[in-house]
């Protein structure tokens, strides 16, 4: 089936815009691939260092150019529930490599912070920047030039985007991403959210809140709501970098282990030493990026990816813009309802048909590019499956069911929950921002309310505690952008804003900070650029200014006389308190050099 017209137009536009940068990128990685196995270019002393700690058999294998060596980049730590399962993966991967006559080495580890732990804390101001640190750390691991392919083990918010940026920097190497899967289902997300709101109202104490949170985040694996971490896993699969059906299989299961072994052996099969050479820089092309954006929209994924996808595309020489993302959202239907866009979690999504069902529905209607390369060796139709175990304990795949297991969670194309993805770009005299409305009630898609300006989350919460907010409000929280303080997420605001909305007030949030994939029922214009620290228009908003947020037409406007607004002196804020403590002093160069939110908020240049 031919691709849907608007999707085809956006794809062609991105390709034209990216022609020169993409051509330079492909020339670079093809030149690196043409030089043959990297180890052959190492001097004897270099190579001896590279396999000094290996077993004798591995040393003998690596002394030549025939046996492939697989580099393992791991984001393991045992504080992150999502990453704790990775502790034993290197042994499993080495064993699987030996079974096919190959070698595997841990090339390096990368930092992996938990946004759940740092949410609302000072450490959150390092979170976005950690993506670029992860990319650089992974690059250091691969820089030894010992490897013919790499596997990347990462799950959460900035970690997968950082790993993919690194993989694309070494785009001449094959790369497969290996997930660890979501934790099993705990208490419902609705129940958790209600307890948080009761705590914000002072109706339950900290003990009750902690008990609720512990029942929700209760074991190894990814948090089960559909935030950035699980959006990452969807992206890696729909862009062809996972083995089909791998994203949402729980940790510690025989299928999870079999998928890891399979991914290892597949990575070794697609090196330049074999007949199926598939470098990652050839997989991630314009069509794969567009498929990723479509996947984000159709599943109601994380707003963080309005930055991460731009940065990841940039690493492959592809110039993706917010306008591209917004235009695709206008035509891509919403086929999944997973919390916060519904009551189900990712385990329910998987049981109802999961990503394979969604991919099949979109391919059948011409809403995804089928003709792409993948690590599986097929086009994208190879991903319309669910993974299972055969009698011998190996992975086999069946076509996904024709009928959804639960149409309240995964809908067929003909019964889409919405005709669009619900992720929009807002523009106007305040600049550009993004909004996710898939979880926002339709009657709240247009808000006009007076501004109340704050420079920190704590200022807002203090005013809320003093019961100062008694009517409609457009809460403006500024100096939260990447240059100001690293663009933290502002989820501490969510319960209080929800209470105000539940009282019948018109409520909106306008900020140059983030709200991420957990953003929910409050209309929130986030990632506003230019940011306040660069004297953007948000710095000229004053208390009482009427603000119009229209998610239908894509408008974000302060309703002040144009000449009067332009004549105002932008507010300034002493940010010195945000520049020290918990390592923030080490990130001054990042704050000084980070690009704007709409260009990916990265430090890697054009």
């Amino acid at each position: 089936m031919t691709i849907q017209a608007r999707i085809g137009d956006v794809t062609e536009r991105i390709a034209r815009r990216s022609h020169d940068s993409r051509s330079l990128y492909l020339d670079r990685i093809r030149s690196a691939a043409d030089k043959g196995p990297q180890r052959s270019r190492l001097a004897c002393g270099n190579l001896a260092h590279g396999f000094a700690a290996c077993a004798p058999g591995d040393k003998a294998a690596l002394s030549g150019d025939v046996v492939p060596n697989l580099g393992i980049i791991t984001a393991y730590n045992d504080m992150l529930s999502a990453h704790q399962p990775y502790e034993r993966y290197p042994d499993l991967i080495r064993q699987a490599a030996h079974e096919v006559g190959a070698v595997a080495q841990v090339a390096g580890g990368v930092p992996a912070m938990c946004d759940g732990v740092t949410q609302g804390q000072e450490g959150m101001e390092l979170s976005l920047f950690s993506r670029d640190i992860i990319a650089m750390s992974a690059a250091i691991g691969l820089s030894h030039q010992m490897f013919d392919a790499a596997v990347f083990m990462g799950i959460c918010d900035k970690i997968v985007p950082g790993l993919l940026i690194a993989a694309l920097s070494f785009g001449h190497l094959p790369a497969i991403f290996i997930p660890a899967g979501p934790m099993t289902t705990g208490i419902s997300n609705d129940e958790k959210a209600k307890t948080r709101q009761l705590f914000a109202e002072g109706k339950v104490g900290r003990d009750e809140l902690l008990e609720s949170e512990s029942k929700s985040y209760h074991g190894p694996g990814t948090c089960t709501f559909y935030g950035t971490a699980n959006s990452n896993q969807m992206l890696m699969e729909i862009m062809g970098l996972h083995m089909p059906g791998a994203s949402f299989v729980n940790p510690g299961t025989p299928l999870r282990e079999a998928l890891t072994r399979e991914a290892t052996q597949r990575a070794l099969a697609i090196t330049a030493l074999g007949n199926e050479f598939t470098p990652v820089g050839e997989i991630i092309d314009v069509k794969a990026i567009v498929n990723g954006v479509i996947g984000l929209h159709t599943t109601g994924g994380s707003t963080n990816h309005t930055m991460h996808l731009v940065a990841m595309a940039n690493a492959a020489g592809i110039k993706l813009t917010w306008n591209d993302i917004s235009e695709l959202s206008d035509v891509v239907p919403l086929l999944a309802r997973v919390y916060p866009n519904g009551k189900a979690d990712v385990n329910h999504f998987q049981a109802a048909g999961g990503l394979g069902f969604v991919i099949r529905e979109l391919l059948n209607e011409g809403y995804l590019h089928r003709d792409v390369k993948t690590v599986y060796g097929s086009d994208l139709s190879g991903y319309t499956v669910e993974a299972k175990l055969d009698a011998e304990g190996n992975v086999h795949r069946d076509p996904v069911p024709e009928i959804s297991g639960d149409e309240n969670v995964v809908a067929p194309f003909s019964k889409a929950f919405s005709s669009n993805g619900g992720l929009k770009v807002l523009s106007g005299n305040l600049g550009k921002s993004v909004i996710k409305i898939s979880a926002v009630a339709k009657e709240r898609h247009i808000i006009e309310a007076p501004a109340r300006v704050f420079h920190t989350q704590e200022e807002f919460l203090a005013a809320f505690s003093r019961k100062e907010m008694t009517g409609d409000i457009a809460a403006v929280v500024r100096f939260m952008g990447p240059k100001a303080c690293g663009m933290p997420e502002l989820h501490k605001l969510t319960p209080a804003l929800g209470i105000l909305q539940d009282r019948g007030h018109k409520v909106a949030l306008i900020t140059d900070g983030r709200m991420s994939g957990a953003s929910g029922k409050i209309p929130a214009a986030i990632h506003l650029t230019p940011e306040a620290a660069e004297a953007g228009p948000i710095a000229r908003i004053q208390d009482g200014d009427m603000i119009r947020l229209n998610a239908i037409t894509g408008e974000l406007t302060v309703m002040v006389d144009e000449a009067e607004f332009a004549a105002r002196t932008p507010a300034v804020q002493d940010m010195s308190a945000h520049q020290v403590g918990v390592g923030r002093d080490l990130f001054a160069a990042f704050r000084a050099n980070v690009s704007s939110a709409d260009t990916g908020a990265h430090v890697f240049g054009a």
Side-chain angles (χ1 to χ4, degrees):
M1 178 174 288
T2 56
I3 196 73
Q4 194 270 351
R6 182 79 70 85
I7 294 171
D9 289 345
V10 173
T11 304
E12 290 178 13
R13 184 173 68 215
I14 297 170
R16 287 194 302 271
R17 184 191 308 134
S18 308
H19 178 270
D20 291 348
S21 54
R22 178 65 176 171
S23 296
L24 287 171
Y25 174 79
L26 290 175
D27 287 346
R28 175 169 67 82
I29 67 169
R30 287 167 181 168
S31 175
D34 287 345
K35 294 177 182 178
Q38 296 181 328
R39 288 188 308 285
S40 64
R41 303 197 296 275
L42 297 179
C44 292
N46 302 137
L47 190 56
H49 277 85
F51 58 54
C54 289
D58 287 349
K59 287 184 182 181
L62 294 178
S63 64
D65 300 331
V66 177
V67 173
N69 188 23
L70 183 65
I72 303 168
I73 299 292
T74 177
Y76 162 73
N77 67 54
D78 58 14
M79 184 199 68
L80 272 73
S81 63
H83 288 208
Q84 185 271 344
Y86 283 137
E87 181 176 11
R88 294 177 176 82
Y89 275 38
D91 286 339
L92 179 63
I93 291 168
R94 282 189 283 262
Q95 181 185 18
H98 285 151
E99 289 174 1
V100 292
V103 179
Q105 294 178 292
V106 173
V110 303
M113 68 183 295
C114 179
D115 285 10
V117 173
T118 58
Q119 195 65 250
Q121 307 299 319
E122 294 168 336
M124 173 54 73
E125 296 181 14
L126 305 185
S127 173
L128 181 59
F129 293 145
S130 76
R131 181 195 64 195
D132 295 2
I133 291 287
I134 288 161
M136 291 186 281
S137 300
I140 290 170
L142 295 175
S143 70
H144 298 97
Q145 301 190 82
M146 287 285 294
F147 309 107
D148 302 288
V151 290
F152 293 85
M153 301 191 307
I155 297 286
C156 290
D157 300 48
K158 316 310 166 300
I159 300 157
V160 168
L163 291 175
L164 183 53
I165 290 169
L168 290 168
S169 180
F170 289 79
H172 59 288
L173 294 178
I176 293 183
F177 281 64
I178 298 180
M183 69 176 69
T184 55
T185 299
I187 65 168
S188 73
N189 287 294
D190 266 358
E191 185 177 349
K192 175 184 67 178
K194 286 176 184 175
T195 305
R196 288 178 175 179
Q197 190 154 315
L198 289 170
F199 178 78
E201 293 177 286
K203 295 178 179 178
V204 301
R206 182 177 173 84
D207 288 347
E208 290 91 341
L209 178 64
L210 182 57
E211 181 182 6
S212 170
E213 298 290 340
S214 298
K215 288 178 179 178
S216 178
Y217 309 115
H218 63 89
T222 314
C223 304
T224 59
F225 66 87
Y226 196 58
T228 311
N230 285 314
S231 297
N232 283 338
Q233 303 315 301
M234 176 279 300
L235 283 174
M236 292 303 97
E237 186 153 338
I238 206 167
M239 292 165 69
L241 295 179
H242 276 176
M243 298 301 288
S247 293
F248 301 120
V249 175
N250 300 123
T253 60
L255 179 56
R256 178 83 276 158
E257 180 174 319
L259 284 163
T260 299
R261 299 171 68 87
E262 181 194 46
T264 299
Q265 295 178 352
R266 182 61 190 167
L268 291 162
I270 59 177
T271 73
L273 297 174
N275 298 319
E276 298 182 74
F277 181 43
T278 313
V280 66
E282 302 273 1
I283 291 176
I284 301 301
D285 61 5
V286 172
K287 289 182 178 179
I289 291 291
V290 169
N291 282 350
V293 175
I294 291 167
L296 188 71
H297 292 320
T298 199
T299 58
S302 170
T303 54
N304 273 330
H305 280 296
T306 59
M307 292 181 294
H308 296 328
L309 275 164
V310 171
M312 292 186 287
N314 182 73
I318 298 166
K319 304 302 181 184
L320 178 70
T321 70
W322 277 6
N323 286 339
D324 300 325
I325 295 172
S326 187
E327 190 169 340
L328 289 169
S329 179
D330 289 341
V331 299
V332 174
L334 182 68
L335 298 185
R337 282 216 177 274
V338 188
Y339 190 86
N341 301 323
K343 296 182 181 298
D345 67 14
V346 293
N347 293 310
H348 299 130
F349 171 71
Q350 175 78 352
L355 190 55
F357 185 95
V358 171
I359 292 173
R360 196 270 313 283
E361 292 295 297
L362 293 173
L363 282 175
N364 285 350
E365 299 295 331
Y367 276 69
L368 282 171
H369 291 286
R370 185 185 303 267
D371 55 332
V372 292
K373 293 181 180 179
T374 72
V375 297
Y376 189 52
S378 69
D379 60 26
L380 197 59
S381 61
Y383 285 71
T384 61
V385 296
E386 53 187 9
K388 299 180 178 179
L389 286 178
D390 64 19
E392 287 74 40
N394 298 313
V395 179
H396 80 96
R397 291 177 170 85
D398 293 335
V400 291
E402 288 297 318
I403 300 173
S404 169
D406 186 344
E407 291 188 359
N408 294 313
V409 179
V410 182
F413 193 94
S414 60
K415 298 180 181 179
F417 299 112
S418 170
S419 61
N420 60 67
L423 202 161
K424 301 274 292 184
V425 172
L426 304 178
S427 301
N429 61 6
L430 289 177
K432 294 176 77 172
S433 68
V434 297
I435 186 169
K436 178 178 172 181
I437 57 172
S438 51
V440 176
K442 289 184 178 180
E443 63 269 21
R444 299 184 182 120
H445 289 185
I446 301 174
I447 298 289
E448 289 187 9
R452 181 76 187 271
V453 180
F454 305 93
H455 289 180
T456 66
Q457 294 182 87
E458 288 70 26
E459 283 183 11
F460 173 90
L461 294 172
F464 176 81
S465 296
R466 293 193 298 268
K467 302 185 179 353
E468 294 178 4
M469 301 173 202
T470 57
D472 298 345
I473 180 174
V476 177
V477 184
R478 63 192 181 193
F479 294 98
M480 294 289 107
K483 283 189 178 295
C485 59
M487 205 177 192
E489 293 180 353
L490 307 178
H491 286 300
K492 284 172 72 171
L493 303 177
T494 302
L497 288 169
I499 291 167
L500 294 174
Q501 184 170 269
D502 289 347
R503 289 174 180 168
H505 304 313
K506 293 180 181 178
V507 176
L509 172 68
I510 294 90
T511 182
D512 46 12
R514 293 186 292 128
M515 285 290 277
S516 97
S519 54
K521 63 183 182 179
I522 309 300
I526 59 178
H527 307 179
L528 185 59
T529 184
E531 63 174 286
E534 293 191 297
I538 189 176
R540 299 201 298 274
I541 299 175
Q542 296 178 0
D543 284 347
D545 290 346
M546 289 298 294
I547 292 179
R548 177 188 294 129
L549 185 162
N550 188 326
I552 298 172
T553 62
E555 178 187 0
L556 181 66
T557 303
V558 59
M559 299 160 66
V560 175
D561 176 77
E562 183 178 345
E564 177 192 341
F565 191 66
R568 290 180 180 175
T569 300
V572 295
Q573 174 75 355
D574 179 7
M575 300 302 296
S576 59
H578 296 264
Q579 296 168 4
V580 295
V582 296
R584 288 177 292 183
D585 48 312
L586 302 177
F587 284 76
F590 284 76
R591 292 188 293 271
N593 293 289
V594 65
S595 73
S596 59
D598 60 325
T599 59
H602 61 81
V603 297
F604 297 130

